[in-house]
Structure formats: C-alpha cells, structure tokens
Amino acid sequence: GARPAKMAAAVASWKSFVATTETGSGKYGPECAVLAANGMADLARAHFVECVETAFKTTHVPNLRFAVTNGGNRSKSLSPNHQHHSWGWVDAAVPAGVSAFTKAVTETTRNADALEKALLGGVGVDVGKTGRLCETAKHSVAAIVSTKGPNSFVSVVSTFFQRRIHEFAGRVDETNGDDETNDDDDDDETDETAKENDDDAFAKQVDAYVATGVVGLERQHSLVAPSASHDSCATAMGADWTKQLEFVGACLRGVTSESDVTSGSDSDSSISIFGNACAAAAAAAIDAAICERVKVRASGNFEKKALPELLRWIIKVPVAFLKTIGLVSSVSSGGSGGGTNTNNSNKSDLESAQWRARCAHAAYERLGAQRVHQCFDVIVEFPESAPAVDDLRRCLRRSYSLHSQLVDALKHKLRQRLLIAGAPTGDIIDTYRLTIRALRDLDPSGVVLNQVSVELKEYLRSRKDTIRCVVSMLMGKDGAD
C-alpha cells in the first residue's frame, strides 16, 4: 500500500542523507525534502550536528593541537626568549594550523546552509531568516575548541605575534632611522627646543586622550602626532608577509567565510570559534614588545625623554600591527568614516579606541615601572636626569599603582646603597639634597618626599659627624679633615 511505500521512501532518503553527511560533500538533494515531508527535519539536523561534533573531536581539534604543540614536542628545549631559533617552528605551524581548522569550519557552515536549504524546499530559501543550523553547528564547534582544544593555544599564537612584531619593528627602525641618533646629531638649538616642545605637547595630548578613555567617544584627542608618518605592514614588510598575518588574524577572529577571510572582514555572526584568542594573544604580544622597547631605549639613558618617542612608536608598530590582524579599524582615531552601517562603524571605532588607549596605558605602565626601578640612579644624576624625572611624573599621573611602587623601591634602594655603615656622611647628605630636589620636581605636593625622607633623616641624626659635615658644606669646604 501507500504507507509501506512512503516508509520505504523515508528509509531510503535517510540512508542517502546519512551517507552524504558522513562524506561531508554537502550535496544534499531531494531526499531532504522527503525527510522534511515525513517530519524528520529536526532529526536530520540533530544527526548533522552530531556528525560535526564527532569530526571535530576526533580529527580537526587533534590536528590543531598537533600543529600548535610542534608535533607534541613543544616543551622540549624552548628558550625563554621567543626570538630564539627554538621557537622558529611557530612561524609555519600557527598559519598552517589555523588555516586547516578554519577550512574545516568553513566547509561545515557551507554544508549546514546546504542542508537547511534542502530541508526547507531548495533554491531561493533565505537561510538566515528560517534556519539556525549553521549557528548551532558553530556553537558546538566553539564549545569543543573551548573544552578540548590545546591548552597552550593562546601562548603559542602570542609567540607567533611577538615574532612578527619584532620583525616589523626592526624593519620600521631601519626604514625611519633611529630617532635617538637623529636627535643627537642635531646641533641646531632652536630646532631642538622646538622638537622638545612638540614632544611635550604630544605627550600632553595623549595624557588627555587616555584620561577621557572611551566615554563619549568623539575622539577629540588623537593618539597620533600631527606630523607623524606611519608605514603600514605591507609597506614595510611586503605583500606576502602582510597577507599571511591578515589571514591568521581573520581566522582567529572567527571568520568562517572564505570571502570574508580573503577580504579581512568579520562575519556577521557573533560566534567566534576561537573565543577571544586573537585579542588575548595580541595583548600579550604587544605588552611584551613594549617591555622590550622600554628596556632597550630607557635603560641607563636619563638625559633624554623616552615617553614621546615611545608613544610615537606605539602608533608606528603595535597599532599598525593591530590594524593588520583586524582588531583596529584605523591607525588614527578619526574613525572608519563613510560606512553605510552606522552601528557597526561606531562599534568598530569604539573597539579601535579601546585598543589605542590600552596600548598607550601599557606604555605608561612599562616605562613608569622601568623608571621606578632606576629611581635611585635618576636621583643621583639629577639635574642631568631631569628628562627621566619628567617621564616618571607623566607616568605617575596615568597609573596610581606606581606611587606605592616608587615609595617602596626608593626606600629599599636607599637602605641598600646609602644607609649603610660604609657610606660617608657627606655622600649621604649630598644624596639627600638631590633627593629633595628631584622629588620636588617629580611630586610638587611633597607626598612622596615625606614618605621617603623619614628613614633618611633618622639615620643622619644617628651619625655623630652629621652636624660637622653640614657646617662644612655650608662654609664651602669639602667636609674632610
């Protein structure tokens, strides 16, 4: 009769559907319409998602784990320095691993769309409005990556980003020249004064920008100096290098459409397969790059301000890098402009402003921490070290945690290097005098000086020759008998 024939057709359609799903070809045909007519559409969707989960658990996620752990040998003989050759394998492993995984996700979403169309009646169906199979599949994949993905994924991607930033920064320095060298070679006092005024104005401009944060984002304060020129990654590193980095960034941001990956634009879906891996890895890589830059440019150099050059470098390298991987829409804070989708444009501008503010804040934090570590040497060399004091003063205004760090560090350095039996009283008094001058310049309120000077004054009172040394200094003698 008709009923057995209908059941036989349904069974045959189910077998055909299962075979197509297991092969992953996505070539669903009339059998799906038969399943839908027999009330088996939800069963077909559930089977599809189950097959997707099985494929990613048994094949795609293990392959990704294998790639980002250097074939299971990641923990062997790796240097703490990420520029060391022992980390060279990430240069190829990360692009290959995320590319293969993204290809699998892209095929899955394409097959989900094809199945949904077939179940709903074929060509001309608007899957975005009538079905959520693709979203369900991507949610399942994201959950599998989160629970069974490689534990070291973010750290490995961060290392890949660090190595790319290091290459980019080196090329930018070669192209633009060493700012410090150029400043030293400038013998024109008028030009030097004008440049210092520009540096002060630029640093104050960034101070104001970071202070306003991202509230009422009119972006009246730009992080970019008006006269600054910025090389893109493509200009400095070439098209191939840049395309690979753009592709990795697009994959990590959760782009699952081949056209979107090629164009570097984000998918409309809010689902990110890798979660916030791209942002977390980029933040760690940029923080490491800023630390390295501060260590190279600010260590032992107290006679030149490091902050203005560091802020310019932030735009030339970290922000330009963020633009390449798609986390920042523009290097300047002028917005994306001209977009037809106002909401997406505002969201992009907001995220870009947040990243620029984060980079600027990291610059203040890292340079401030470096100057705090050098605080005793800065005081001893004052007033020649006045530029370093100015750097620290600006950093203290942006980071309240640095105040307590400065007080603790200076107290420790004074105990360790000055308040000891072997130190001549005259040297202690002279250092105390310099401490007063430097800390008044650093903190006109006198709070830091009051906290630091207590132990120093008590120690001087305990020395028998303190009064004699003070009198000798006042009378212009050297204090020695």
Side-chain angles (χ1 to χ4, degrees), residues 45 70 84 113-114 134 136 232 251 280 337 380 394 412 417 423 444:
R45 294 186 183 98
N70 194 22
H84 191 265
D113 287 341
C134 182
T136 302
S232 65
C251 293
V380 170
R394 295 186 186 281
H412 175 72
R417 299 177 59 177

Side-chain angles (χ1 to χ4, degrees), residues 343-360:
N343 291 333
N344 288 341
S345 177
N346 290 340
K347 180 181 178 182
S348 178
D349 290 347
L350 176 61
E351 291 174 349
S352 297
Q354 288 173 332
W355 274 106
R356 288 193 301 272
R358 180 186 294 186
C359 290

Side-chain angles (χ1 to χ4, degrees), residues 319-331:
V319 175
F321 174 84
L322 288 170
K323 184 177 185 297
T324 302
I325 63 176
L327 292 176
V328 167
S329 60
S330 61
V331 173

Side-chain angles (χ1 to χ4, degrees), residues 97-164:
V98 299
S99 174
F101 196 85
T102 299
K103 182 179 179 181
V105 175
T106 302
E107 291 177 353
T108 298
T109 56
R110 187 189 301 115
N111 292 345
D113 287 341
L115 174 58
E116 195 69 37
K117 287 180 180 179
L119 290 172
L120 295 173
V123 181
V125 176
D126 188 349
V127 178
K129 294 182 179 179
T130 58
R132 296 184 178 180
L133 180 58
C134 182
E135 301 296 309
T136 302
K138 287 195 286 187
H139 274 299
S140 297
V141 172
I144 293 169
V145 171
S146 176
T147 57
K148 297 185 178 298
N151 296 329
S152 59
F153 184 69
V154 172
S155 65
V156 172
V157 174
S158 177
T159 300
F160 172 79
F161 282 165
Q162 286 182 45
R163 293 172 66 85
R164 301 290 79 74

Side-chain angles (χ1 to χ4, degrees), residues 153-212:
F153 184 69
V154 172
S155 65
V156 172
V157 174
S158 177
T159 300
F160 172 79
F161 282 165
Q162 286 182 45
R163 293 172 66 85
R164 301 290 79 74
I165 293 174
H166 184 80
E167 291 177 0
F168 181 38
R171 188 66 57 84
V172 169
D173 286 342
E174 291 175 4
T175 303
N176 297 334
D178 192 325
D179 293 337
E180 187 173 356
T181 302
N182 292 339
D183 291 342
D184 291 341
D185 292 341
D186 189 359
D187 294 327
D188 191 334
E189 186 174 350
T190 302
D191 291 344
E192 185 66 25
T193 302
K195 181 182 183 304
E196 183 137 343
N197 290 336
D198 289 343
D199 287 347
D200 290 342
F202 177 49
K204 290 177 181 177
Q205 187 181 34
V206 178
D207 284 350
Y209 178 85
V210 176
T212 58

Side-chain angles (χ1 to χ4, degrees), residues 283-418:
I286 288 174
D287 187 64
I290 292 174
C291 286
E292 181 181 354
R293 186 75 176 186
V294 167
K295 186 179 296 184
V296 171
R297 294 304 179 100
S299 292
N301 184 4
F302 306 143
E303 298 182 4
K304 184 179 183 301
K305 294 179 182 178
L307 183 59
E309 187 274 335
L310 178 61
L311 292 174
R312 288 191 175 88
W313 178 83
I314 289 290
I315 298 299
K316 293 177 182 178
V317 178
V319 175
F321 174 84
L322 288 170
K323 184 177 185 297
T324 302
I325 63 176
L327 292 176
V328 167
S329 60
S330 61
V331 173
S332 67
S333 58
S336 54
T340 57
N341 192 328
T342 304
N343 291 333
N344 288 341
S345 177
N346 290 340
K347 180 181 178 182
S348 178
D349 290 347
L350 176 61
E351 291 174 349
S352 297
Q354 288 173 332
W355 274 106
R356 288 193 301 272
R358 180 186 294 186
C359 290
H361 183 72
Y364 286 114
E365 284 279 350
R366 296 306 179 183
L367 180 60
Q370 179 76 0
R371 291 307 192 203
V372 165
H373 179 71
Q374 303 164 333
C375 58
F376 184 84
D377 295 322
V378 170
I379 288 174
V380 170
E381 296 186 23
F382 194 83
E384 287 78 9
S385 62
V389 173
D390 185 75
D391 281 343
L392 182 54
R393 182 175 64 251
R394 295 186 186 281
C395 293
L396 286 173
R397 287 206 299 263
R398 297 274 66 84
S399 176
Y400 295 108
S401 63
L402 286 176
H403 286 81
S404 59
Q405 294 178 29
L406 174 62
V407 172
D408 293 341
L410 195 49
K411 285 182 177 180
H412 175 72
K413 292 291 184 180
L414 288 173
R415 294 191 202 103
Q416 185 181 53
R417 299 177 59 177
L418 193 65

